[in-house]
Amino acid sequence: MKNFTYYVPTKIHFGKNQIQHLPEEVASFGKRVLLVYGAGSIKTLGLYDEVYRLLDDCTIVECSGIEPNPRIDSVRKGVKLCKTHNIDVILAVGGGSVLDASKGIAAGALSKEDPWELTLDAKKIKVALPILSVLTLSATGSEMDQTAVITNPETKSKRGFASDLLFPKVSICDPTYTYTVSAFQSAAGVADIMSHIMETFFHHEEGCDISDQVAIDLLKTCVKYGPVLLDEPDNYEARANIMWAGTWAINGFLVAGPGKKWSCHAMQHILSAYYDVTHGATLALLEPAWLAYILNDTNKDRIARFAREVFHVEEENTRACATLGIQKLYAFFTETMKLPKNFEELGIPTDANLEALAKECVKVRPGGHIDGYEVLEANDVYEIYKRCM
Ligand code: NZQ
Ligand code: ZN
């Protein structure tokens, strides 16, 4: 087990009607609020009106229209609003994109740097506005982490950056807000959560029993409740378990011990930057393709353990067991969860230059390769992309 520092300063209010805590939580940071939200699902949900009702003694300035795979121009717009209106606190109401944009805004609001410069070098973030969030989609874990992922369409790049200053101070996680999430976005969310867990579970560090066992249990929870989201969108237990699994998948607990050496997220970001594809749905293709590609005699035991414990594969031969588990993972995503079966269905054209994308993907990584569970060079990434065609 590696040394680690565990620091998560986010207060979570979890469960039905926890929005009632909003006035007291906002009041401890100020009265001038930037309300950040997306295309309008929060209005359909009734959350928009609820926020105005609960914060009737605050001045609310709106930053709406945050797009999925949020763009740097939306962050710039929010930063400008903060500076113009002397904002005290940012209230993000939405999914990961709204939360991530809010983190970019929080960092830029008190800085002279252009927000894109801060995403390129998060060490430049010296101070940030406080962020409160109301989560409406279970997927990214942004409600309890210090990371944001922002896209710059001009440079065709999608960048993740992190700063301890960007943890939300408070997140309200009410599973009933996710009843209205579409089947596709719900399934993509489950795939994203499982990907966060798998990216950590597949490691070579000895003696990480706690992380490993919790990872397996979180994955089993996703496999149990994920399909229920599609059949019964308003099943509270299913929505609640998936929401809490999503938070724990990426709040620093699982990487405490194994460390963080992820692979598929690095391969995902460039595809969203070029084709604006949905994050979780892309990972649902990359994870099985990646596992099948890297499977070897050194890692077969761990992949077989995943197969046995998460998908109840009973095959005795270790390598065959691992292969069957990978097939079950692909079938779970594409058949049970009804996610796209290949890049074309996902929205990546068949004539996409995957070789060039693979080269670009590794170019921005330290050392010019992906230093993940197994080291991946450009040609490895290209082979994995081809398996998703
Ligand atoms: O725009 P609105 O109206 O909000 O609609 C959204 C959007 O169209 C909709 N939605 C959200 N809540 C809803 C709802 N529709 C109906 N009912 C509700 N209750 O869902 C659509 C997708 O929303 P989005 O926020 O984009 O999804 P998600 O939460 O999956 O976020 C994806 C973004 O997060 C990044 C991804 O790369 C991607 O940009 N990630 C952030 C991470 C982090 N901060 O740590 C880690 C992840 O690995 C990921 O990279
Ligand atoms: Zn993710």
Side-chain angles (χ1 to χ4, degrees), residues 139-140 191-193 195-196 199 250 262 265 268-269 279-280 283:
T140 64
D192 190 21
I193 294 166
S195 176
H196 297 157
E199 295 260 42
I250 193 176
W262 287 15
H265 276 67
Q268 195 288 315
H269 285 173
H279 177 69
L283 291 164

Side-chain angles (χ1 to χ4, degrees), residues 24-39:
E24 83 220 23
E25 297 295 4
V26 170
S28 57
F29 296 103
K31 284 205 175 296
R32 303 185 64 78
V33 180
L34 184 76
L35 171 62
V36 184
Y37 62 98

Side-chain angles (χ1 to χ4, degrees), residues 39-41 95-97 100 136 140 142 145 147 158 177 180 196 265 279:
S41 63
S97 294
D100 285 4
T136 67
T140 64
S142 191
D145 77 10
T147 304
K158 185 177 182 188
Y177 297 152
T180 53
H196 297 157
H265 276 67
H279 177 69

Side-chain angles (χ1 to χ4, degrees), residues 103-168:
K103 290 176 182 176
I105 295 168
L110 302 176
S111 170
K112 287 187 180 136
E113 297 271 0
D114 177 69
W116 187 246
E117 291 303 316
L118 301 177
T119 70
L120 294 176
D121 182 5
K123 285 200 264 330
K124 290 183 177 168
I125 304 171
K126 303 292 183 206
V127 59
L129 281 177
I131 303 162
L132 276 62
S133 87
V134 180
L135 185 65
T136 67
L137 195 163
S138 308
T140 64
S142 191
E143 66 276 14
M144 203 179 184
D145 77 10
Q146 69 280 60
T147 304
V149 187
I150 304 295
T151 297
N152 186 336
E154 278 169 31
T155 57
K156 291 248 187 261
S157 46
K158 185 177 182 188
R159 298 275 310 188
F161 63 104
S163 162
D164 282 354
L165 295 163
L166 301 181
F167 279 106

Side-chain angles (χ1 to χ4, degrees), residues 8 47 58 76 80 87 111-112 119 122 148 154 164 177 180 192 204 216 231 233 251 254 309 334 341 347 349 359 367:
V8 186
L47 254 176
C58 293
R76 290 187 179 119
K80 201 169 168 196
I87 292 295
S111 170
K112 287 187 180 136
T119 70
E154 278 169 31
D164 282 354
Y177 297 152
T180 53
D192 190 21
H204 291 294
I216 291 282
D231 297 337
N251 71 357
L254 293 182
E309 296 195 36
T334 58
K341 288 185 166 50
K359 281 186 186 149

